[in-house]
Amino acid sequence: MFFHVMLTTECNLQCRYCFGETLEDFDEDFADFDVDYALPRKANYDFALLAKFCKRDPACVLTFYGGEPLLCTNEIRQIMDLAKPRHFMIQTNGLFLDRLEPEYVNRFHTILVSLDGDEELTDYYRGKGTFRKVIDNVKLIVQNGFRGELIARMTVMEQTDIHKQVKWLLDNEEFAFSSVHWQLNAGFWANDYARRGFKRWSEKSYVPGVERLARFWVDHMEAKRAVLRLYPLLGIANSLLSNEEAKLRCGGGWINYAIQTDGYITPCPTMWGMKNYYLGNIAQANPLKLKRIFVSSPCTECDIFSVCGGRCLYANITKRWSSEAYAAVCSTVRGLVNAVKTALPRIEELINDEKVSLRDFEFMKYNGCEIIP
């Protein structure tokens, strides 16, 4: 099992798509759900309980999460000294990576660091100076011996040219990533769709950009005999090549859960405080016997459900956007899937010609990359 360990609800940034939209939608509520808005700001349970909980699962993977988990470096050290999971991972905005000693950083199997593209775009979304500090820290941890997977995790919305920004992350003078994931800012808030241009942007910019990326991705395979880890493309291609029918691809609610700052377990980090979906506490729960929560209608009636897997459990349950707005999101998923399906004959030919192999499309599933963005 995979567990997001939510070390804190606090963050040191005020990003446009998170803090900014919180201010815009300050008066919205979750009337249909019993939500605890008073979770401890920092993890307040005995970390020995977490170590004991994890020990009951021989394949346990712990991912530090927040808020911003590196606001809690002491807690990270304590947990890493106590717990013995198969792997440690972290999702971070990267600003405090220099505060954790290499002896801990270098134990991470995967680091997902938030970068939205080049300096101009990242600083537009996340605040002036953010890009420079993150890149400097990424260089530092590599210099200090980090050899795990380093994933640039983008948040994507209307100011993003997806083709341009992903290619920039792959090939630039600052730091070239070989692994990139992106997540659409869609369906998290109740009132933002009406004031945004999501539908037009997704049709005119995003989907065509993804199609161009898919062609570039296969061109790169042909020229370099290597498969770049562009996770939304990689994950879908992996399933199509192996004839896998996908469940919810992030694993949320069935193999990937979240542990809140009070020790209670929820299906995913986005569902923090939603008491209707509490699945027990680490003090008593068995990680191998947690209740499974799956998406329902309309996802389960969709003709590409076996490839998509449902996209987002939180969105499916809370339905923050209207049906019309969600249809626009589903169109982006269909565009992504079609882009990979169009590329599939070329990929299969490259495999047959032994320029790449099926193994090149393998990856650690449920590593924080949702696959369907």
Side-chain angles (χ1 to χ4, degrees), residues 74-94:
N74 286 336
E75 289 81 355
I76 289 175
R77 294 184 191 100
Q78 291 173 41
I79 292 170
M80 293 184 80
D81 288 343
L82 280 171
K84 307 297 180 185
R86 177 173 290 184
H87 299 296
F88 283 109
M89 302 193 294
I90 188 170
Q91 291 200 39
T92 174
N93 62 34

Side-chain angles (χ1 to χ4, degrees), residues 136-151:
D136 287 347
N137 281 346
V138 165
K139 292 177 180 177
L140 176 66
I141 65 171
V142 172
Q143 178 183 325
N144 287 341
F146 178 71
R147 297 296 180 264
E149 185 173 12
L150 188 59
I151 303 174

Side-chain angles (χ1 to χ4, degrees), residues 17 21 25 28 30 153 183-192 196 270 311-312 314-315 318 320-321 326 370 373:
Y17 34 66
E21 291 194 352
D25 287 352
E28 74 170 68
F30 288 78
R153 190 186 186 285
Q183 174 68 47
L184 290 174
N185 176 26
F188 293 105
W189 309 93
N191 303 318
D192 62 328
R196 292 170 55 185
T270 313
R311 184 179 177 270
C312 179
Y314 168 86
T318 61
R320 308 304 285 162
W321 279 11
Y326 276 125
E370 295 88 346

Side-chain angles (χ1 to χ4, degrees), residues 112 136 294:
L112 295 99
D136 287 347
F294 292 105

Side-chain angles (χ1 to χ4, degrees), residues 182-215:
W182 62 89
Q183 174 68 47
L184 290 174
N185 176 26
F188 293 105
W189 309 93
N191 303 318
D192 62 328
Y193 184 77
R195 63 175 177 263
R196 292 170 55 185
F198 180 87
K199 186 174 187 294
R200 177 176 173 78
W201 165 77
S202 64
E203 293 174 347
K204 301 298 183 182
S205 175
Y206 176 74
V207 171
V210 167
E211 292 169 348
R212 291 180 66 194
L213 271 180
R215 292 192 293 270

